Amino acid sequence: MLFRSVFFPILAIVLGFFFKSTAVASVPERIVSTHLCADQLLLLLESKEKIVSLSYFSSDPNFSNFSSEAIGFHKNHGLVEELLPFNPDLVITGEYSALPTTAMLKRIGIPVIQLPVSNNFNEIFLNIRRVAAAVGKQSLGEELIEKFIFELKKVSSFEEKKPVAVLYWPNGYTPGNNSLAAEVLRYVGFGNLGQRYGTSSASYMALEQLVLSQPDIVVIPQRGSASLASDVPHHRALRLMFDEGRIVKIPDRLWTCGGPAVIEALQILRHIRKKIR
């Protein structure tokens, strides 16, 4: 413990002297992302030549909307020893991702942007603007936002009737009222079963409780990697108690991160909402 308490502060000082000379210019040239959501915004806004590393999730089609575009990039796990050899002049990460790495990078003078979780459309716009400003692509960022708003207007719903939907995730969890998925439901004209129980954050919902509540539709993820947790939303009881038209499968990747891909989730649910009278 004594070794760690002495070694790491000294390491930070030494690295700091080295990297001060390579501090970020007005427009970064060697950009690293350590977070899935940062990966996707970076690929939308920056040229590939300036991106030196992406997170290890970036090329996984179960999670990323840009898995094909991410092929060929070096992948990282958010460890400082992986990132320093690239001599980055900007690192983009998540608000709660790789916190020890973030702290070390800041101590040695490497600029870091931490993107908050996007729980609504306005927060998506803010993150697009954060990344666009950091890489000097503000005009492109505003274009993405304008396109997003244009698509939002096409799927918005103002009907008084609110059919009830439930978001049923692996392990029987349902996102809370303050989640991006709940925002999508509200926007296209659904009530959220989770709101009936007053849950603002993710909470567990027993399968029996869901079946007894009989929402109009059950929104579940498409099957990803095999696990007992991911089997729960695909339980045989749901198939028996809800006909095929009432179970809606949406890929996690569409709304795991806040970005333009969420429009596809909105379109799927709006199409279903129009069929319910």
Side-chain angles (χ1 to χ4, degrees):
M1 293 298 292
L2 178 60
F3 173 79
R4 291 172 61 88
S5 64
V6 173
F7 175 75
F8 284 107
I10 293 175
L11 176 63
I13 293 171
V14 172
L15 291 173
F17 280 119
F18 178 76
F19 284 101
K20 289 296 183 183
S21 62
T22 59
V24 70
S26 56
V27 178
E29 299 292 333
R30 300 182 59 78
I31 308 170
V32 167
S33 166
T34 68
H35 190 268
L36 174 66
C37 300
D39 295 333
Q40 298 183 76
L41 291 182
L42 196 53
L43 287 168
L44 279 169
L45 291 163
E46 187 53 278
S47 61
K48 291 187 175 182
E49 291 75 20
K50 293 187 177 183
I51 303 171
V52 294
S53 183
L54 297 171
S55 83
Y56 66 99
F57 278 123
S58 62
S59 56
D60 188 329
N62 290 318
F63 299 103
S64 175
N65 296 293
F66 297 96
S67 56
S68 297
E69 291 84 345
I71 294 173
F73 286 96
H74 177 274
K75 306 303 189 300
N76 70 76
H77 296 75
L79 302 176
V80 71
E81 57 266 33
E82 293 177 298
L83 309 185
L84 292 183
F86 290 109
N87 194 15
D89 52 11
L90 177 64
V91 176
I92 307 179
T93 187
E95 185 176 13
Y96 305 107
S97 175
L99 295 181
T101 295
T102 298
M104 176 67 81
L105 294 174
K106 288 181 176 180
R107 288 184 68 178
I108 63 178
I110 296 177
V112 180
I113 294 177
Q114 294 174 272
L115 299 180
V117 176
S118 298
N119 291 316
N120 56 57
F121 303 136
N122 285 332
E123 291 176 359
I124 292 175
F125 303 154
L126 286 173
N127 275 346
I128 291 174
R129 289 189 172 109
R130 286 185 179 101
V131 176
V135 300
K137 299 291 176 61
Q138 291 91 332
S139 296
L140 180 55
E142 293 306 315
E143 287 179 20
L144 287 175
I145 292 170
E146 287 176 12
K147 290 177 182 178
F148 196 115
I149 292 173
F150 177 75
E151 294 297 332
L152 281 177
K153 290 178 180 177
K154 293 198 296 187
V155 297
S156 62
S157 173
F158 300 98
E159 292 123 331
E160 291 186 9
K161 181 182 177 182
K162 302 290 183 185
V164 176
V166 63
L167 299 158
Y168 204 53
W169 276 197
N171 250 355
Y173 280 87
T174 181
N177 301 326
N178 296 331
S179 66
L180 180 59
E183 169 97 332
V184 169
L185 287 183
R186 287 190 295 270
Y187 198 82
V188 297
F190 283 102
N192 183 4
L193 181 62
Q195 190 169 3
R196 182 183 299 177
Y197 298 100
T199 54
S200 59
S201 58
S203 60
Y204 173 72
M205 180 179 291
L207 186 65
E208 295 83 355
Q209 182 182 5
L210 189 159
V211 171
L212 288 172
S213 298
Q214 282 297 300
D216 294 283
I217 66 167
V218 181
V219 182
I220 63 174
Q222 285 186 344
R223 280 191 182 273
S225 55
S227 68
L228 291 176
S230 62
D231 283 344
V232 174
H234 299 270
H235 196 282
R236 183 169 176 266
L238 291 181
R239 298 196 301 272
L240 291 174
M241 298 303 296
F242 296 91
D243 60 49
E244 186 175 346
R246 292 171 65 193
I247 296 180
V248 182
K249 298 177 182 178
I250 294 184
D252 279 338
R253 59 181 172 77
L254 296 183
W255 49 19
T256 296
C257 293
V262 79
I263 291 295
E264 187 177 339
L266 282 156
Q267 291 169 339
I268 293 169
L269 287 166
R270 181 58 182 151
H271 178 72
I272 292 167
R273 172 64 188 89
K274 286 181 177 180
K275 295 180 179 180
I276 302 175
R277 299 298 176 192

